[in-house]
Amino acid sequence: MKVAAPPFDVASAELAREHQQRLTKPRGSLGLLEEIPVQLAGLQRTAMPSSRPAAAILFASDHPVARHGVSAYPVEVTAAMLRNFVDGGAAASVLARELRVPLHVVDVGVLGGGYLSFENDVRLVRAPVARDPAGDLRVEDAMSEGTFARAVMAGASAVDALPAGVLVLVLGEMGIGNTTAASAVVAMLLDAREEEIDALVGAGTGVTGAALARKRAVVRDALARVGRVQSAEEAIRRLGGRDIAALFGAAARASERGMAVLVDGFIVSAAVLALVRSAPATRPSFLFAHRSTEPGHQRVLEALEATPLLDLRLRLGEASGALLALSLLDHACALHSRMATFSSAGVPEGGAR
């Protein structure tokens, strides 16, 4: 996939790093909070970057693979959660409201969806691709080429629909069965050996015992069915779902628009791994919010050479970890722009380097 991402502005990043070194603290003493403004500076092409305005987009879709009992919850939960997002009762809704971040929920394939709402500051829309049929990835491709293209476009269009000036995009997802799909995509992208596949498949919504064994068998069957793929996009099309494809498209468009993208957990990271494999120049656009308890997530972070900002044992999804991490970006930018320098505060600088 061709993504016209603007080049990372190394000069602005270096100016931001030099500014960090003049602040009234030992160099490096704020750890990753010093690195965040440097990365944002290169994306925003200014030595004094900002974390606001920010916006959150969450893509929701059902997955036919759920019929194999790979989730602890029935498929009806996905549609019920759409209403919960709008009613303000979901974790993402609460966090977005607390952080004063507009939450956009895009239905890209939810059974029983199909309404438009702007209640409680949550914008819920149904993308045209939601009407497309989907496949059970265990026995057939998850999407046709046309459906994949429309799902990617739904993601890009959701970013284009954001108000002008958004600097930070929080990405999330929701859909029963999507950790199974993400596990299959990741295993394919990482070229996992047969003995490694089970280690990439985790509890998701909380499955254990026989249910977890079924989930792992489903992923093994799907990978055996597909064999090898020619591209990262093909991995998503054949093994993923409309939500993962939409995340792929949204991340690509956000990178093209120079936004910083706060990546949530395992499913979003799977889409980003596919994008970076397809368009390596997009990599500086992404900050990784947290380390999920999903075992495959650690492997994805390692493959992307990513250091997560948080490790809270989260596995909820729906952008919860990324929304929590947004407050770290807020604080990092505040420290960067408001702390005194040694010279302005009249504080002697340390001599050792």
Side-chain angles (χ1 to χ4, degrees), residues 11-20 22-23 36-38 40-42 44-52 167 332-339 341:
S12 292
E14 285 304 312
L15 288 173
R17 192 177 300 280
E18 290 170 7
H19 179 73
Q20 278 285 328
R22 294 194 296 269
L23 299 180
I36 289 169
V38 173
L40 295 179
Q44 297 174 14
R45 314 185 80 78
T46 174
M48 290 294 169
S50 177
S51 58
R52 301 297 179 111
L167 296 175
C333 289
L335 290 166
H336 183 76
S337 62
R338 299 177 196 168
M339 278 184 71
T341 63

Side-chain angles (χ1 to χ4, degrees), residues 12 22 29-30 41 45 52 54 119 137 222 262 273 280 349:
S12 292
R22 294 194 296 269
S29 59
L30 285 176
R45 314 185 80 78
R52 301 297 179 111
E119 301 174 47
L137 63 91
L262 256 176
L273 175 62
E349 292 192 52

Side-chain angles (χ1 to χ4, degrees), residues 9-337:
D9 187 359
V10 176
S12 292
E14 285 304 312
L15 288 173
R17 192 177 300 280
E18 290 170 7
H19 179 73
Q20 278 285 328
Q21 294 173 353
R22 294 194 296 269
L23 299 180
T24 49
K25 58 178 174 57
R27 291 187 181 185
S29 59
L30 285 176
L32 291 178
L33 293 180
E34 297 186 15
E35 296 301 318
I36 289 169
V38 173
Q39 187 170 350
L40 295 179
L43 293 171
Q44 297 174 14
R45 314 185 80 78
T46 174
M48 290 294 169
S50 177
S51 58
R52 301 297 179 111
I57 303 178
L58 190 157
F59 296 98
S61 178
D62 280 306
H63 293 257
V65 74
R67 65 174 58 120
H68 298 292
V70 296
S71 173
Y73 293 87
V75 295
E76 292 80 8
V77 166
T78 311
M81 282 300 297
L82 287 184
R83 175 51 59 186
N84 196 26
F85 290 127
V86 173
D87 290 344
S93 308
V94 173
L95 291 171
R97 188 164 58 247
E98 288 294 312
L99 289 161
R100 300 181 302 281
V101 175
L103 176 61
H104 305 261
V105 180
V106 184
D107 172 1
V108 290
V110 179
L111 296 172
Y115 45 84
L116 176 68
S117 177
F118 297 91
E119 301 174 47
N120 296 327
D121 301 320
V122 177
R123 182 174 187 261
L124 172 62
V125 299
R126 192 177 205 211
V129 72
R131 303 176 182 88
D132 285 17
D136 174 356
L137 63 91
R138 187 178 199 176
V139 297
E140 59 188 334
D141 289 345
M143 290 169 281
S144 68
E145 292 184 0
T147 295
F148 173 75
R150 285 187 288 275
V152 171
M153 183 53 64
S157 297
V159 175
D160 288 338
L162 294 174
V166 170
L167 296 175
V168 176
L169 176 62
V170 173
L171 282 181
E173 44 60 43
M174 194 276 148
I176 298 301
N178 65 4
T179 58
T180 302
S183 296
V185 169
V186 166
M188 181 63 73
L189 293 175
L190 296 182
D191 196 22
R193 297 189 299 272
E194 186 174 354
E195 63 271 19
E196 296 175 321
I197 294 171
D198 284 2
L200 294 173
V201 184
T205 52
V207 295
T208 58
L212 180 56
R214 282 196 303 274
K215 185 176 180 180
R216 288 170 170 165
V218 165
V219 172
R220 290 196 303 270
D221 289 349
L223 293 168
R225 174 185 64 81
V226 172
R228 302 188 71 85
V229 296
Q230 300 301 311
S231 67
E233 292 97 321
E234 186 184 355
I236 294 179
R237 183 184 73 79
R238 302 189 69 185
L239 295 165
R242 287 164 291 184
D243 47 358
I244 298 175
L247 287 164
F248 180 94
R253 184 56 53 86
S255 182
E256 288 182 325
R257 291 180 54 172
M259 296 177 181
V261 179
L262 256 176
V263 179
D264 196 44
F266 181 48
I267 291 93
V268 183
S269 296
V272 168
L273 175 62
L275 177 61
V276 172
R277 290 288 176 87
S278 178
T282 63
R283 176 61 184 85
S285 300
F286 304 114
L287 296 94
F288 292 81
H290 73 108
R291 178 184 289 108
S292 167
T293 59
E294 280 294 304
H297 195 212
Q298 179 60 34
R299 289 286 306 278
V300 174
L301 293 172
E302 291 169 357
L304 290 166
E305 299 182 349
T307 301
L309 299 177
L310 297 168
D311 190 346
L312 299 174
R313 301 179 185 174
L314 303 177
R315 57 180 174 84
L316 174 61
E318 65 181 58
S320 54
L323 285 165
L324 288 167
L326 178 60
S327 63
L328 293 182
L329 269 63
D330 292 339
H331 295 317
C333 289
L335 290 166
H336 183 76
S337 62

